[in-house]
């Protein structure tokens, strides 16, 4: 008879190995090993197809991500052209090639009466971080509100609510590549459905926005599409939370003469407090992983206005074949999401007290 030390719960170690071994093997081969390789690569100068001259570079790749420099801009000459700061940067860089050789123009600022030009070793990375935060600020409240409204709708008893739930959830199970391609056709400037509807409603002189080609509209268009595609999943989470609220509370509120708004404000929202926090934070984490929509619809453009952290790391790692620097960016993203997840855990524990 086997001793207790040879058992894992109610199962033998051999049974655990047989059942969990294949999954653990796949996890190690496709998750753990690539992660460890990325950690090692991030401290080297390895290239994708040039592995014969690999050198240890320490924290060079990490300092490259956030390296900034500032120079005073020349006095204004009254030329209100949009590319004037870029031309000023190029002129200063020609005068000081040794100091600014590895820096590119990022932006211009006014600091204490001084007009300075800001350069970065990787301005696309910093723009990608800003774009990632912008996407999260756009999509999280929009998707959360849309999912909440859909959950409230389908939580009522009416004919066809099961079919309506299926319709709301169907975009979630559709491939993001397919969804992005379809929305690319809808948002096409000349032949897209969106602009055709504008012409049909407001006439032939209606504005025809370049939804994916305008730097001011491209990220908003992607956020709208992403919120529509992912709201069905959060709807199910909200729906389970709504159904977990005791019906006795609503019946007691009816006896006391509470209005529908009062029941929503004092029963529904407090009952969904933990659910709201979970949905908002999980949606935020998913928003920071934006890649497929950008890759299919805009390729990071126009003018890097939709480039995100994951997209930029993939572009650098595989298209530019700089595996070392791409690995450093992905590790930075991993640590950021890890800290965000720990913050979520602490917040959930505090709300549960």
């Amino acid at each position: 008879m086997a001793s207790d030390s040879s058992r894992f719960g109610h199962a033998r170690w051999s049974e655990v190995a047989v059942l969990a071994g294949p999954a653990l093997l796949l996890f190690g081969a496709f998750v753990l090993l690539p992660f460890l390789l990325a950690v090692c690569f991030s401290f080297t100068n390895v290239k994708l197809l040039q592995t014969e001259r690999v050198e240890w570079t320490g924290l060079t790749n990490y300092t490259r991500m956030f390296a900034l420099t500032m120079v005073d801009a020349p006095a204004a000459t009254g030329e209100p052209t949009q590319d004037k700061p870029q031309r000023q940067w190029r002129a200063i860089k020609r005068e000081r090639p040794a100091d600014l050789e590895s820096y590119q123009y990022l932006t211009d600022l006014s600091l204490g009466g001084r007009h300075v030009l800001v350069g970065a070793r990787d301005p696309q990375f910093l723009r990608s971080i800003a774009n990632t935060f912008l996407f999260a600020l756009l999509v999280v409240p929009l998707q959360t509100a849309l999912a909440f409204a859909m959950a409230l709708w389908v939580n009522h008893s009416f004919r066809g609510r099961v079919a309506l739930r299926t319709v709301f959830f169907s975009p979630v199970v559709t491939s993001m590549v397919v969804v992005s391609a379809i929305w690319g056709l809808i948002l096409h400037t000349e032949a897209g459905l969106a602009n055709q509807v504008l012409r049909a409603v407001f006439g032939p002189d209606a504005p025809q926005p370049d939804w994916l080609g305008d730097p001011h509209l491209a990220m908003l268009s992607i956020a709208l599409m992403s919120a529509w595609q992912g709201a069905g999943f959060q709807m199910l989470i909200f729906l389970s939370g709504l159904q977990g609220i005791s019906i006795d509370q609503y019946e007691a509120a009816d006896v006391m003469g509470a209005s529908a708004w009062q029941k929503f404000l004092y029963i529904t929202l407090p009952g969904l407090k933990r659910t709201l926090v979970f949905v908002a934070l999980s949606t935020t984490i998913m928003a920071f992983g934006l890649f497929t929509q950008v890759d299919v619809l805009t390729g990071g453009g126009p003018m890097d206005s939709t480039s995100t952290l994951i997209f930029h790391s993939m572009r650098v790692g595989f298209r530019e074949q700089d595996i070392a620097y791409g690995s450093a960016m992905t590790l930075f993203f991993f640590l950021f999401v890890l800290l965000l997840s720990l913050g979520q855990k602490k917040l959930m524990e505090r709300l549960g007290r």
Side-chain angles (χ1 to χ4, degrees), residues 182-198:
I182 293 174
W183 273 77
L185 297 176
I186 294 175
L187 299 176
H188 191 276
T189 306
E190 298 178 358
L193 178 62
N195 284 347
Q196 289 187 15
V197 170
L198 290 177

Side-chain angles (χ1 to χ4, degrees), residues 30-343:
F30 295 101
V31 177
L32 184 59
L33 180 60
F35 176 78
L36 295 176
L37 288 175
V39 173
C40 296
F41 289 161
S42 67
F43 296 101
T44 67
N45 63 347
V46 63
K47 302 294 182 180
L48 185 61
L49 300 178
Q50 300 176 10
T51 58
E52 66 278 1
R53 294 191 300 271
V54 179
E55 297 178 359
W56 184 265
T57 59
L59 297 176
T60 301
N61 290 317
Y62 293 95
T63 57
R64 175 184 170 187
M65 290 189 287
F66 299 101
L68 294 172
T69 187
M70 292 189 297
V71 296
D72 290 323
T77 59
E79 302 178 22
T81 56
Q82 184 177 2
D83 63 339
K84 183 180 176 182
Q86 290 91 329
R87 290 190 290 107
Q88 291 177 332
W89 174 266
R90 289 194 293 267
I92 296 174
K93 191 172 182 179
R94 285 194 295 269
E95 296 174 0
R96 301 165 53 184
D99 298 333
L100 305 176
E101 179 180 4
S102 59
Y103 289 90
Q104 302 177 44
Y105 173 78
L106 177 62
T107 187
D108 61 307
L109 299 172
S110 295
L111 299 175
R114 297 172 53 204
H115 185 210
V116 298
L117 305 178
V118 182
R121 294 188 62 189
D122 187 3
Q124 288 83 8
F125 171 76
L126 299 175
R127 294 191 190 104
S128 297
I129 291 180
N131 292 336
T132 303
F133 276 94
L134 174 61
F135 176 78
L137 289 174
L138 289 172
V139 79
V140 171
L142 180 61
Q143 185 169 326
T144 302
L146 181 60
F148 193 20
M150 292 191 302
L152 290 173
W153 187 2
V154 299
N155 191 46
H156 294 89
S157 297
F158 59 90
R159 182 176 298 178
R161 66 172 180 169
V162 175
L164 191 60
R165 291 177 185 176
T166 304
V167 171
F168 287 159
F169 189 74
S170 57
V172 179
V173 297
T174 305
S175 170
M176 180 57 79
V177 175
V178 175
V179 172
S180 300
I182 293 174
W183 273 77
L185 297 176
I186 294 175
L187 299 176
H188 191 276
T189 306
E190 298 178 358
L193 178 62
N195 284 347
Q196 289 187 15
V197 170
L198 290 177
R199 286 195 294 266
V201 174
F202 300 103
D205 296 330
Q208 299 291 284
D210 190 359
W211 300 101
L212 299 175
D214 187 340
H216 300 96
L217 292 176
M219 184 59 79
L220 176 61
S221 301
I222 293 177
L224 290 172
M225 183 212 73
S226 301
W228 171 84
Q229 191 271 343
F233 179 74
Q234 279 77 11
M235 177 200 69
L236 292 183
I237 299 175
F238 277 127
L239 189 60
S240 64
L242 288 170
Q243 294 178 352
I245 301 175
S246 175
I247 194 66
D248 295 339
Q249 299 183 53
Y250 293 102
E251 292 176 350
D254 289 332
V255 172
M256 298 175 64
S259 64
W261 172 250
Q262 290 174 324
K263 288 188 287 186
F264 174 78
L265 192 62
Y266 296 107
I267 298 177
T268 304
L269 283 182
L272 292 177
K273 181 173 61 175
R274 292 173 59 87
T275 305
L276 279 167
V277 173
F278 172 77
V279 168
L281 291 177
S282 61
T283 306
T284 302
I285 292 173
M286 289 188 288
F288 280 106
L290 174 66
F291 170 75
T292 304
Q293 302 94 303
V294 172
D295 191 43
V296 174
L297 290 174
T298 63
M303 299 172 59
D304 287 330
S305 62
T306 59
S307 176
T308 61
L309 183 56
I310 293 297
F311 178 82
H312 183 54
S313 64
M314 294 291 289
R315 175 173 57 190
V316 169
F318 292 97
R319 297 179 186 176
E320 300 178 11
Q321 300 186 4
D322 193 347
I323 292 294
Y325 187 47
S327 298
M329 284 189 284
T330 56
L331 285 176
F332 168 78
F333 175 76
F334 167 77
L335 293 175
F336 175 79
V337 173
L338 178 62
L339 292 175
L340 191 63
S341 302
L342 293 175

